[in-house]
Amino acid sequence: MKQAILVMGHGEQSTILQKTIDILDDKDIDFFIHWDKKYRQPDIRAKHSAICFVSPRLNIVWGTDTQIKGEILLLKEAYKSLQNYKMFHLISAVDMPLMDVSYFKKFFNGNRSYLGFDNNSSTVANRVRYYYPFSNINFRTHPLWTKIVILTNRFLQVDRWKKYKETSIYKGPNWFSLNREDVSKVLEANLNKFFHSYCADEVFIQTLLPQLNNHNHQSNDNFAALRYIDWNRGQPYVFQMSDVEELRKVKNTEYAFARKISTPRLIDKVFNE
């Protein structure tokens, strides 16, 4: 069974991604990479996996719909491939695998998807209900702009979701492992309603695939997505060399990837030493 790993990458370094590829390098696992247009595209190599850099390259800005557009670009490119991938995994270039290639191939059979859902706050709907006109402003570093946009929407009584009021809005991690059937549902949906949004990369997949909501896992939405992420020690916590034993304990269990990590040496220590 063929699987596609979709990578959202940025920055000047790609050494962590290269180590991830080294671990999962296999004729049945290919990598589709979107590298932020602001940075030089890295030189990534594999012995067995195919490496595909998707285009057009986008200027990805945190919190804007460019994150959604980047994910959709990756999904479309991999889905239309003649390789007929059965599983699609979204990671970042600073994630690491927590399964060796043999375990990874046995764990995923293409019969089910893995997607996290959390308990929505009352403001989650505003991420898609309001109109956010800018795709080039990082709202995290420009809170004043965020406030202005929200106040303007409230004053004008904007509610873009009114026409979709029968559709409930759900939220969770933007990282996922989806099978081909569910990717097809995403790509066939009307995605325009998620554009001009705020942090809707954590909303659009969950809203389109609510049937994947396993209420037993709402206490740990990242576990439901098979991701080992620690939000208690950071935003999220960046795993260090001192965390080798912690990561070894969850290797080849029910976590496919961990994020974020600080150095490619951590992957070497967890897998090879």
Side-chain angles (χ1 to χ4, degrees):
M1 185 190 83
K2 297 283 285 187
Q3 304 190 57
I5 297 181
L6 318 176
V7 184
M8 293 283 284
H10 71 278
E12 302 297 344
Q13 297 295 324
S14 57
T15 51
I16 292 174
L17 175 58
Q18 181 63 69
K19 282 292 182 182
T20 289
I21 291 174
D22 292 344
I23 295 296
L24 297 177
D25 191 5
D26 186 270
K27 64 179 179 61
D28 292 324
I29 302 173
D30 295 332
F31 291 81
F32 291 79
I33 304 169
H34 177 274
W35 208 262
D36 194 316
K37 188 178 180 180
K38 294 187 291 292
Y39 304 94
R40 178 180 56 84
Q41 184 169 291
D43 181 23
I44 300 290
R45 299 174 184 269
K47 292 181 179 178
H48 307 290
S49 298
I51 305 292
C52 173
F53 282 93
V54 301
S55 61
R57 294 173 64 197
L58 306 176
N59 177 20
I60 304 296
V61 181
W62 184 91
T64 71
D65 59 7
T66 59
Q67 292 182 285
I68 296 176
K69 291 174 181 177
E71 291 180 27
I72 293 300
L73 184 63
L74 286 165
L75 283 170
K76 284 183 175 179
E77 196 68 26
Y79 187 83
K80 73 180 183 182
S81 168
L82 297 178
Q83 296 298 324
N84 194 32
Y85 299 108
K86 301 302 184 184
M87 289 297 299
F88 303 77
H89 311 270
L90 180 69
I91 67 172
S92 84
V94 291
D95 296 358
M96 67 169 282
L98 283 177
M99 297 176 176
D100 60 37
V101 69
S102 176
Y103 191 93
F104 189 91
K105 291 173 65 174
K106 289 178 182 176
F107 187 93
F108 294 104
N109 57 22
N111 292 334
R112 62 165 295 186
S113 295
Y114 301 87
L115 183 68
F117 291 76
D118 65 21
N119 295 313
N120 287 356
S121 69
S122 59
T123 61
V124 165
N126 294 341
R127 297 187 181 194
V128 290
R129 187 159 63 93
Y130 292 159
Y131 182 85
Y132 296 85
F134 308 112
S135 293
N136 60 343
I137 293 178
N138 184 327
F139 289 109
R140 179 167 50 183
T141 56
H142 295 82
L144 178 59
W145 275 108
T146 308
K147 191 172 184 179
I148 290 172
V149 169
I150 291 174
L151 290 175
T152 302
N153 275 275
R154 288 177 179 171
F155 177 76
L156 296 176
Q157 298 183 319
V158 174
D159 186 358
R160 297 195 302 146
W161 208 257
K162 185 182 296 184
K163 65 177 75 173
Y164 312 113
K165 61 183 179 180
E166 301 302 320
T167 302
S168 298
I169 298 170
Y170 296 92
K171 174 183 172 293
N174 59 323
W175 317 108
F176 56 72
S177 292
L178 299 180
N179 66 16
R180 188 171 186 85
E181 178 182 355
D182 287 324
V183 169
S184 175
K185 292 175 183 177
V186 171
L187 296 180
E188 291 172 359
N190 172 17
L191 298 171
N192 290 330
K193 58 179 174 280
F194 297 106
F195 298 152
H196 295 291
S197 56
Y198 172 67
C199 289
D201 59 314
E202 298 176 336
V203 169
F204 85 107
I205 297 286
Q206 283 78 3
T207 300
L208 293 173
L209 300 174
Q211 73 276 9
L212 297 181
N213 191 356
N214 183 341
H215 297 279
N216 294 329
H217 287 154
Q218 282 196 344
S219 60
N220 189 342
D221 53 344
N222 293 301
F223 176 72
L226 307 183
R227 300 314 195 261
Y228 192 71
I229 306 174
D230 186 347
W231 287 97
N232 294 319
R233 290 179 287 177
Q235 296 296 315
Y237 175 68
V238 179
F239 291 99
Q240 310 292 323
M241 292 300 294
S242 56
D243 300 309
V244 168
E245 289 306 316
E246 176 183 350
L247 294 172
R248 281 177 176 168
K249 288 179 182 178
V250 292
K251 174 190 167 189
N252 288 343
T253 58
E254 291 187 87
Y255 292 102
F257 298 95
R259 75 178 312 270
K260 306 174 178 180
I261 70 168
S262 58
T263 169
R265 291 193 300 120
L266 190 53
I267 301 176
D268 282 334
K269 280 287 187 180
V270 171
F271 280 89
N272 302 324
E273 298 180 26

